[in-house]
Amino acid sequence: MILKPRLEDIKIIGFYLGKIVFGLALTMAVPIICGLAFKEFNPTLDFIIGIEISLILGLVLTNLCRTDKDLNWMQGMIVVSLSWLVAMVLGAIPLYLSGHWKSFLDVCFDAMSGFATTGLALVVDLDHLSYTHNLWRHLIMFIGGQGIVIIALSFFVKGFSGAFRMYVGEGRDERILPNVIHTSRFIWLVSIVYLFLGTLALGVTGILEGMRPVNAFFHGACIFMAAFDTGGFAPQSQNILYYHSFTYEIITVVIMVLGALNFKLHYHLWQGNRKEIFKNIETVTLFFSILVTFAIVAVGLSESGVYSKAFLLFRKGFYQLISGHTGTGFQTIYAAQFGQDWNNLALVGLICAMALGGAVCSTTGAIKMLRLGIIFKAFKEDLKRIIMPERTVVIERFHHIKETFLNDKLARAALMITLAYIILYLLGALVGMFYGYPFLDALFESTSAAANVGLSCGITSVDMPAALKVTYITQMWIGRLEFMSVFTIIGFLFACIKGKK
Amino acid sequence: MKKHFIKLAISCGLFLFTAVQIAAAATVSSSELIANASQYNGQIVLYSGEVVGDVMARGDHAWINLYDGKNAIGVWVSLALANNIRHTGSYRSSGDKIEIAGIFNRACVEHGGDLDIHGQGLRIISEGRQLSHLFDINKRNSVVILLGVIFILWILTLFLRR
């Protein structure tokens, strides 16, 4: 029997949602400081308005729903899924006030794309956008990559067991440290240290490549945030092609790969356990997956004959592949070139890479390497059972920080999420096909949205149908949260309507 | 003497050939270039747009990015030509609108497979300028009103807590 949610449930959800809104308001102080530093006063006002609206909502929610009770699993999941929708709307307000987006739906699309670290964009005339708004576009990727809830956990929560429920609801099922709040703070520490180093590397490269120092370091910080959080936004409309720099491409590839690694793995590397990178099932699977998908892309590009030299094929093919596989979405080719210069085989290779993604507990989306590795091990185990004598006891194990024996529960969970992702990719493709786009293009864009990648073959544009924009927003949201918290909110709404008192 | 004459004649011939090609070339948009890249590959094209971002000097050449309202395309020009550019497009300024005559590359061998134009001639159509962003009074008023709302809510919060 389904029970109708009590008023107490709604109050608890509202209270913690209010806390997360306060966390989001706090982050808007960063673009305000940037706006004042660059003397961009109107953009600064946009963010003051944004912060004020967030504070009002936060005050209303925390006061109306004041409670001392802790979250249960259902409430934690609902808080997470709602907080991403609320963040999308609140984060969109200052961007909308800039006048660079044609409608509020478009700016919500970009805000969700940013928070979910996707990278698909509908911004108009990006090359004339202020530093302040541009910083916010990239900062929301940084916030979304670590997790919106993680901000609240890091700054506004002193310690409660419901924290773990929200943490899990945000698509992370691994604790790096025993305490989830310490885990959140460690994730921030890693990200800030890399932010400093990455910005320095990209900034110096930018200066050496002829950029003005201010622009070089501003772009460096923005590109780092988009690369490490596997987002894919860039301050200029040409994306990475703007820089015309091989060095810039190499550095961004390194940052993208770092962003696609598990934070737990980062922790072990920081602790000096370097062997882990060679033993971990995720890194091993990622290596082979990149090898296989790049082979498909390379054969496809070689057949299409667009790149006359092997080095050109490697540079363009490998960059888009790493960008797709890590879920970043940086491009060094124009969106239309996917359709014209890349043949179907190369596109299929790239779609597979996008669909697979990076590591769990990283900033990437998609199916993820741990699940792929587990599925592969499960197949191997079943194959052994068929081949070997009946009385043989077949046991498979894998190394992921520690040695783990494969069991049916693990295999079933990995297969279920994988299946859910495949269905999500196909549903988006169906909507694309409904609006008249060819199957492969529709699948490419749908996979890119649902796997939070951001590569575009040209479908994503200001002129695309509103229903398709809503579809992609939903896919980005579901894909980032990895289904469970979204399923919970659907169940909660169902219980509100059909549940018994 | 004869050698010099032959060299001069060849140079003049090449110059004339290029000049005729440039004169014959019609201005093409970025969308057309990207959509029909194989058709335009290796051809001399005329492309115009606003210079956006930085002029990135690389030795005796420079990269400029020209935005025509739809896309921006990278143009590789000599530093001497790039030095004619006074304004580049950003939030604070509109960039110089220029016309470039140059060879279009679908996947440039010299530049790692980039789709680009190797500019041979540059003409400034119109100069860019500093943009003045007037202080928005409506936004300022909204800030004040919302601040008032926050203050009232804060007072209410204090009452509720008591």
Side-chain angles (χ1 to χ4, degrees), chain A residues 38 42 63 128 212 316 334, chain B residues 50 54 72 92 114 134 157:
Chain A
F38 282 106
N42 285 334
N63 281 314
H128 291 95
R212 279 173 288 180
K316 288 293 172 192
Y334 293 92
Chain B
E50 179 193 352
D54 286 315
R92 290 194 182 282
D114 287 358
L134 294 174
T157 306

Side-chain angles (χ1 to χ4, degrees), chain A residues 35 96 459:
Chain A
Y96 185 63
I459 292 178

Side-chain angles (χ1 to χ4, degrees), chain A residues 31-45:
Chain A
I32 289 174
I33 295 165
C34 171
L36 292 172
F38 282 106
K39 294 181 181 167
E40 293 176 341
F41 297 115
N42 285 334
T44 306
L45 288 178

Side-chain angles (χ1 to χ4, degrees), chain B residues 21-87:
Chain B
Q21 276 205 303
I22 290 171
T27 306
V28 281
S29 68
S30 60
S31 303
E32 201 181 334
L33 281 173
I34 295 165
N36 304 299
S38 54
Q39 185 193 321
Y40 285 106
N41 190 30
Q43 305 277 317
I44 289 183
V45 295
L46 276 180
Y47 173 66
S48 62
E50 179 193 352
V51 183
V52 288
D54 286 315
V55 173
M56 291 178 275
R58 310 263 167 100
D60 57 354
H61 276 70
W63 276 110
I64 53 173
N65 292 293
L66 285 190
Y67 176 69
D68 73 345
K70 284 278 180 192
N71 305 283
I73 292 184
V75 182
W76 179 245
V77 287
S78 69
L79 200 57
L81 283 178
N83 284 337
N84 293 320
I85 296 162
R86 293 274 166 268
H87 299 88

